[in-house]
Amino acid sequence: DAYSSHSDSVSDRANAKSTPGTSQESLINNDENNASNDQSQSPNEQDLNGKPLQKRRTVTKNSIKQEHLHSTPHLPSDLNWIRDDIISDWSELGGKDSTAQVHPYKFTNFILRKAVESGAVELILGKVEEILFSEDTGAAIGLNYAPTKNAAMNDTEEESIEILGDQIVLSMGPWTSKILPDCPISGLRAHSITIAPHKGMVSPYAIFTELKIGRGKYVSPEMYARKEEVYVCGEGDTLVDLPETTDDVEVIKEKCDELFHYVGKLSPNLSRGHIVKRQACYLPVLDVPSSSGPLIGETNVENLYLASGHSCWGINNAPGTGKILAELILEGECRSADISALDPSLYFDASVLIDDE
């Protein structure tokens, strides 16, 4: 199940009570008038950090109306690992018939293992350095890469290796612009953690939150329950430029600890648990106002294909993207979907090899 919640401090709850024969509009007006005279501070008014709030918020007509229409006093009965006493309102986004979850690491490794077992795929670890182009036609004909060093074998050489191919597919996420500098895809770093709950398994919910941590300050961590852990991810930041490789991604411990602190306020089971893994990744974001991506298909350079810019939907859209590329490369056209709006050539020139900036 997937649902969203909104958690406010005590002072931000609009306590609208319905009485027989009283219309909603008159109730709102009466409460609005009464609330404007109540500016006293209750000793129990605190934000999620446990700090007292200085003043009680003046309740507005809109806030009462929203509370009256959308607030539900209790969460689903099987969602027993979230405190409902600090939730001001929530809504259900989907159920068992419309949502599902895959474990990214297990999913991608399973697909890769099956591909290698077919005998048609060889996995080579390395860092792509450049695309090779035909001097006669300008078409892509291969690439140069630096093989990943093997510390166990004391590999120290950094010589480039050339691979030729009939079609070249770049599926490099936020690193796409490292090879194609005109491509408008950048990286947005996001931190995440996995938590082992105090009492073992939790009920299967994906939770999207908006938590008030102070006056006018909110955070929106997301929680995804797995069999033996809960995955929690935070909001993106642009504090650090995209590194050269995934091995160089910087993980800031304080940001991970903040996530644990915030979700711990919502869940005693998680607060008494422990962090299993702290991590960070870069989302490939398409910097184009008219499109949210991704970019899929052949670029304006012959035989050079692109599949990138999926933002946070990479795992969800990866199988469909692979199917589309297989159709384009093997059959010459896409039959499964209309991807005309995702055409890379609409947004950048893949023949540009030097970043003017």
Side-chain angles (χ1 to χ4, degrees), residues 309-328:
H310 293 76
S311 186
C312 58
W313 299 102
I315 293 296
N316 185 69
N317 290 332
T321 300
K323 180 177 178 62
I324 287 171
L325 284 172
E327 292 175 348
L328 287 174

Side-chain angles (χ1 to χ4, degrees), residues 1-5 75-82 90-102 202-209 222-226 230-231:
D1 288 350
Y3 88 98
S4 64
S5 68
L75 299 176
S77 59
D78 62 336
L79 185 53
N80 53 13
W81 51 283
I82 296 293
W90 65 276
S91 60
E92 187 175 2
L93 302 178
K96 295 179 180 179
D97 60 338
S98 60
T99 60
Q101 180 184 182
V102 295
V202 297
S203 52
Y205 280 86
I207 303 173
F208 308 90
T209 71
E222 300 175 3
M223 294 180 281
Y224 300 84
R226 296 173 177 171
V230 175
Y231 171 82

Side-chain angles (χ1 to χ4, degrees), residues 2 33 60 78 86 89 116 129 133 188 191 230 236 336:
N33 293 333
T60 65
D78 62 336
I86 62 172
D89 58 79
V116 172
E129 297 180 326
F133 301 92
L188 180 68
H191 283 78
V230 175
S336 299

Side-chain angles (χ1 to χ4, degrees), residues 21-273:
T22 303
S23 69
Q24 178 183 327
E25 189 66 29
S26 63
L27 172 65
I28 291 171
N29 289 335
N30 288 337
D31 279 1
E32 183 178 11
N33 293 333
N34 293 335
S36 63
N37 296 322
D38 186 2
Q39 297 292 330
S40 61
Q41 179 185 352
S42 167
N44 294 325
E45 292 177 358
Q46 298 177 341
D47 60 25
L48 284 179
N49 290 317
K51 297 180 180 179
L53 296 176
Q54 295 180 353
K55 286 186 177 181
R56 191 175 192 131
R57 188 189 70 170
T58 299
V59 182
T60 65
K61 177 177 179 179
N62 288 337
S63 66
I64 295 178
K65 185 175 182 180
Q66 182 179 15
E67 182 84 5
H68 181 73
L69 292 177
H70 302 293
S71 177
T72 302
H74 298 294
L75 299 176
S77 59
D78 62 336
L79 185 53
N80 53 13
W81 51 283
I82 296 293
R83 292 175 55 189
D84 64 359
D85 60 308
I86 62 172
I87 305 298
S88 62
D89 58 79
W90 65 276
S91 60
E92 187 175 2
L93 302 178
K96 295 179 180 179
D97 60 338
S98 60
T99 60
Q101 180 184 182
V102 295
H103 190 296
Y105 179 83
K106 295 179 180 179
F107 172 71
T108 53
N109 276 266
F110 173 82
I111 295 295
L112 176 60
R113 184 172 67 253
K114 290 300 181 181
V116 172
E117 288 175 357
S118 71
V121 174
E122 179 184 2
L123 173 63
I124 300 175
L125 299 179
K127 176 187 174 184
V128 176
E129 297 180 326
E130 62 177 345
I131 303 298
L132 302 178
F133 301 92
S134 168
E135 294 182 358
D136 297 328
T137 65
I141 58 174
L143 58 84
N144 283 333
Y145 77 95
T148 298
K149 297 179 182 179
N150 189 331
M153 299 179 63
N154 296 319
D155 285 349
T156 58
E157 297 183 3
E158 297 184 0
E159 63 180 24
S160 293
I161 297 178
E162 179 181 284
I163 294 182
L164 300 180
D166 297 324
Q167 288 93 14
I168 310 299
V169 179
L170 294 185
S171 183
M172 302 174 63
W175 281 270
T176 304
S177 57
K178 295 281 188 180
I179 301 299
L180 301 177
D182 195 45
C183 181
I185 293 177
S186 61
L188 180 68
R189 185 179 63 174
H191 283 78
S192 61
I193 58 176
T194 56
I195 303 174
H198 174 65
K199 295 183 178 180
M201 293 179 62
V202 297
S203 52
Y205 280 86
I207 303 173
F208 308 90
T209 71
E210 183 179 76
L211 310 179
K212 184 169 186 178
I213 60 174
R215 188 169 297 279
K217 295 182 179 180
Y218 295 86
V219 293
S220 300
E222 300 175 3
M223 294 180 281
Y224 300 84
R226 296 173 177 171
K227 284 188 175 181
E228 298 177 351
E229 63 184 12
V230 175
Y231 171 82
V232 181
C233 60
E235 300 170 52
D237 70 74
T238 56
L239 300 176
V240 180
D241 291 337
L242 185 72
E244 284 299 311
T245 68
T246 56
D247 293 333
D248 300 323
V249 173
E250 180 183 2
V251 179
I252 300 178
K253 181 178 181 297
E254 290 76 11
K255 285 190 171 292
C256 294
D257 292 342
E258 283 181 359
L259 288 174
F260 183 68
H261 170 74
Y262 293 142
V263 299
K265 295 293 184 179
L266 281 175
S267 173
N269 193 7
L270 296 185
S271 68
R272 291 195 293 267

